[in-house]
């Protein structure tokens, strides 16, 4: 469907062209060579807010990438909604797997292909255009709004916690609205009430002072790749259970309703087909959705060392490396999980090598009661537009700032995203279904009117 809202319907093609401009900016926050592009995306976002009728729009510096702020505060006796999103994107590697260039947005089969199309530029754009549509057709908003858009979400939002702490009065509101999550399936609206947290680290194993000839020294010294493989293997048992002492100590159990709902939503055959695999694998005793949404993980994200070129080079490498991230669930503390992993590494390090551990991104898990009036109102808006009963779910990913806003500002969070898990965010050929582009904006317009009465 195309939107039924008169302003959105009339300007749909113009909006798609504007979104393509936004998506053409390679705002890759993890790569310093794209710093100016990240700034350019921030400035583009700020200009879009100004054109939507927002006031006090600013591009505000942080230690790394800027925050974009804007507001409209003229709705008397109405709540204030803080709208959050991010304008930075993931790297595009491997580039050769993209069917069309990642920063040359292309529409195919009613889907918009580009890096950031679903995560999160497409949804940020929707938020802004919804505000513009209301302002243009009604002359005012039903609620007060504040916007905060960051450029570091894809690198763990390192500057955002101190920014929020330093600007608590500026960001004070009654509700946080985020569109950076996914729906359960096509045509199936859902509200996310929980996010997993994150802790990341790198393991660097060191053996001899330099690479060694495997014929002259093989059998007499420890191979760092062997040592690393043994160490990593010690972190799980054969059934997917994490074998690190203390890892599960504070995991909040799923309640009976969650267990039943997640079992019902788990379609293992469809997931295997989608992923092109013959079998699923995970912690024994839990359904697939329970593993994805309500249980913690420890994943090896990268492992390297030794000769990588063509053919064989008969060496024992002097170094071996691995990157690990853990997705955490409510009541787990990222710093504590990092500590128990470090203890495990020290305890299980094979002889003949040394180890260094470097800590990376950390984010606390988040969960909010799904009977909160703001969340229930969101469900009503979704059901009205999608004509389908809404589901209340968790999400396996992390949006670190949600917990920050809840802790520092006391804001309940409505995580109303319109992406789909099949849209390849963080992977080649990321795309966004334009049906959700249209329905999502209809839903947000309805919600901003509905929330005035709900709070």
């Amino acid at each position: 469907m195309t939107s039924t809202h008169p302003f959105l319907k009339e300007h749909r093609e113009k909006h798609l062209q504007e979104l393509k401009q936004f998506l053409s900016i390679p705002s890759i926050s993890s790569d310093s060579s794209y710093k100016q592009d990240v700034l350019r995306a921030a400035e583009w976002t700020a200009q879009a807010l100004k054109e939507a009728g927002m006031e006090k729009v600013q591009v505000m510096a942080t230690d790394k990438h800027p925050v974009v702020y804007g507001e409209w505060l003229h709705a008397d006796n109405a709540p204030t909604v803080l709208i959050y999103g991010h304008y930075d994107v993931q790297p595009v590697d491997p580039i050769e797997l993209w069917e069309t260039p990642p920063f040359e947005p292309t529409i195919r089969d009613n889907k918009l292909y580009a890096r950031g199309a679903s995560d999160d530029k497409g949804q940020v754009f929707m938020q802004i255009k919804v505000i513009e549509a209301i302002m243009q057709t009604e002359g005012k908003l039903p609620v007060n709004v504040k916007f905060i858009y960051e450029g570091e979400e894809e690198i763990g939002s390192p500057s955002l916690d101190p920014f929020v702490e330093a600007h608590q009065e500026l960001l004070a509101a009654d509700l946080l609205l985020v569109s950076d999550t996914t729906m359960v399936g096509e045509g199936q609206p859902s509200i996310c009430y929980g996010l997993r947290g994150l802790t990341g680290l790198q393991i660097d194993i060191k053996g001899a002072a330099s690479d060694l000839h495997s014929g002259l020294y093989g059998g007499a010294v420890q191979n760092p790749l062997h040592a690393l493989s043994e160490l990593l293997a010690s972190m799980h048992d054969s059934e997917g259970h994490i074998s690190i002492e203390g890892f599960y100590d504070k995991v909040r159990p799923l309640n009976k309703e969650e267990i039943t709902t997640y079992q019902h939503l788990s379609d293992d055959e469809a997931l295997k087909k989608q992923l092109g695999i013959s079998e699923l694998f995970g912690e024994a005793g839990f359904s697939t959705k329970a593993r994805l949404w309500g249980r913690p993980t420890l994943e090896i994200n990268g492992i390297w060392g030794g000769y990588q070129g063509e053919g064989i080079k008969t060496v024992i490498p002097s170094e071996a490396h691995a990157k690990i991230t853990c997705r955490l669930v409510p009541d787990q503390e990222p710093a504590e999980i990092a500590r128990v992993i470090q203890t495990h590494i020290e305890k299980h390090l094979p002889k003949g090598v040394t180890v260094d551990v470097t800590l990376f991104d950390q984010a606390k898990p988040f969960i909010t009661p799904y009977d909160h009036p703001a969340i229930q109102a969101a469900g009503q808006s979704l059901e009205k537009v999608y004509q389908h009963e809404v589901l209340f779910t968790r999400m396996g990913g992390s949006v670190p700032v949600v917990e920050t806003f809840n802790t520092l500002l006391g804001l309940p969070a409505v995580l109303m995203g319109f992406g789909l898990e099949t849209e390849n965010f963080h992977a080649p050929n990321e795309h966004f279904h334009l049906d959700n582009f249209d329905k999502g904006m209809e839903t947000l317009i309805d919600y901003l009117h509905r929330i005035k009465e709900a709070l």
Side-chain angles (χ1 to χ4, degrees):
M1 67 167 259
T2 56
S3 177
T4 59
H5 188 279
F7 181 84
L8 296 178
K9 185 175 183 179
E10 180 183 350
H11 292 84
R12 186 176 190 267
E13 289 307 313
K14 178 176 180 286
H15 288 164
L16 287 176
Q17 291 307 312
E18 290 175 348
L19 177 53
K20 287 181 178 181
Q21 293 173 11
F22 192 24
L23 293 170
S24 297
I25 304 172
S27 51
I28 302 172
S29 54
S30 61
D31 188 335
S32 59
S33 66
Y34 290 93
K35 183 176 181 179
Q36 289 304 311
D37 292 302
V38 177
L39 176 59
R40 191 155 57 95
E43 293 171 341
W44 195 100
T45 304
Q47 182 60 34
L49 286 173
K50 291 176 183 176
E51 292 174 0
M54 297 302 95
E55 302 168 350
K56 297 184 180 179
V57 176
Q58 305 172 63
V59 177
M60 305 176 73
T62 71
D63 288 343
K64 195 169 181 68
H65 299 305
V67 164
V68 180
Y69 175 83
E71 66 181 33
W72 188 91
L73 304 177
H74 303 294
D76 296 334
N77 301 315
T80 299
V81 180
L82 180 62
I83 299 174
Y84 165 85
H86 64 93
Y87 61 84
D88 65 320
V89 300
Q90 283 276 334
V92 298
D93 312 85
I95 187 67
E96 65 274 9
L97 296 184
W98 286 81
E99 293 183 23
T100 51
F103 297 110
E104 295 180 15
T106 305
I107 295 176
R108 302 194 299 274
D109 301 324
N110 204 36
K111 302 170 189 174
L112 177 58
Y113 286 80
R115 172 58 87 227
S118 179
D119 181 23
D120 183 36
K121 282 182 176 177
Q123 301 196 63
V124 163
F125 183 86
M126 290 165 61
Q127 293 172 334
I128 297 173
K129 290 304 169 182
V130 158
I131 295 298
E132 183 177 356
I134 299 174
M135 290 290 287
Q136 289 292 324
T137 55
E138 302 177 31
K140 60 181 182 178
L141 301 178
V143 293
N144 299 298
V145 296
K146 297 179 178 180
F147 287 87
I148 178 169
Y149 289 135
E150 67 158 320
E152 299 182 13
E153 197 276 341
E154 299 294 7
I155 54 173
S157 304
S159 299
L160 204 59
D161 278 17
F163 181 91
V164 173
E165 190 161 6
H167 297 86
Q168 293 186 48
E169 184 175 347
L170 178 70
L171 300 173
D174 299 295
L175 168 70
L176 178 69
L177 176 60
V178 179
S179 295
D180 190 22
T181 52
T182 58
M183 297 167 51
V184 171
E186 195 167 349
Q188 173 59 71
S190 53
I191 293 288
C192 178
Y193 66 91
L195 299 163
R196 290 196 290 192
L198 179 72
T199 194
L201 54 90
Q202 179 170 315
I203 302 171
D204 299 302
I205 300 287
K206 178 67 176 173
S210 65
D211 289 358
L212 302 175
H213 190 294
S214 65
L216 296 178
Y217 296 98
V221 298
Q222 176 67 273
N223 185 319
L225 282 171
H226 296 182
L228 178 62
S229 300
E230 181 181 338
L231 178 62
L232 295 176
S234 73
M235 295 182 179
H236 292 87
D237 67 17
S238 61
E239 293 190 328
H241 184 87
I242 297 166
S243 304
I244 295 172
E245 185 176 353
F247 189 91
Y248 292 103
D249 283 358
K250 295 182 180 179
V251 170
R252 185 187 303 182
L254 298 171
N255 61 42
K256 290 182 179 179
E257 184 178 357
E258 288 173 322
I259 291 171
T260 301
T261 300
Y262 299 170
Q263 178 71 52
H264 174 72
L265 292 175
S266 297
D267 187 340
D268 290 0
E269 292 305 315
L271 183 59
K272 286 189 288 187
K273 183 178 180 180
Q274 173 196 329
L275 300 178
I277 56 178
S278 60
E279 295 292 337
L280 299 177
F281 177 79
E283 187 182 6
F286 295 92
S287 67
T288 297
K289 289 298 186 186
R291 294 170 184 160
L292 292 174
W293 294 343
R295 297 295 294 173
T297 67
L298 185 152
E299 298 289 355
I300 302 165
N301 308 123
I303 181 170
W304 71 99
Y307 180 64
Q308 306 292 316
E310 185 176 353
I312 292 176
K313 184 179 182 183
T314 55
V315 295
I316 299 171
S318 65
E319 298 179 358
H321 313 270
K323 292 183 186 289
I324 289 174
T325 53
C326 302
R327 299 290 178 168
L328 310 178
V329 297
D331 299 335
Q332 287 186 300
E333 286 288 334
E336 174 65 14
I337 295 302
R339 188 190 66 77
V340 299
I341 295 173
Q342 288 176 291
T343 299
H344 180 93
I345 290 170
E346 294 165 2
K347 183 178 179 180
H348 292 82
L349 183 68
K351 295 179 180 179
V353 293
T354 58
V355 65
D356 285 319
V357 176
T358 304
L359 300 183
F360 290 123
D361 300 354
Q362 293 191 352
K364 293 183 179 180
F366 173 81
I367 193 166
T368 193
Y370 50 80
D371 60 357
H372 190 284
I375 292 180
Q376 290 298 311
Q380 292 163 13
S381 292
L382 282 163
E383 289 181 351
K384 177 182 176 181
V385 173
Y386 279 84
Q387 295 293 296
H388 198 295
E389 183 180 2
V390 72
L391 295 174
F392 295 93
T393 69
R394 297 198 207 179
M395 192 177 85
S398 307
V399 184
V401 72
V402 172
E403 194 277 336
T404 297
F405 283 122
N406 182 256
T407 300
L408 293 178
L409 303 180
L411 299 184
V414 172
L415 308 177
M416 185 161 48
F418 301 97
L420 296 174
E421 294 177 356
T422 57
E423 288 179 335
N424 287 18
F425 40 87
H426 293 206
N429 302 308
E430 179 180 352
H431 57 278
F432 190 40
H433 284 64
L434 293 182
D435 190 46
N436 288 328
F437 176 78
D438 296 317
K439 288 181 177 177
M441 287 195 284
E442 293 277 354
T443 302
L444 289 169
I445 288 175
D446 184 87
Y447 182 64
L448 289 172
H449 287 86
R450 190 181 297 270
I451 196 62
K452 181 177 181 179
E453 307 303 325
L455 291 183

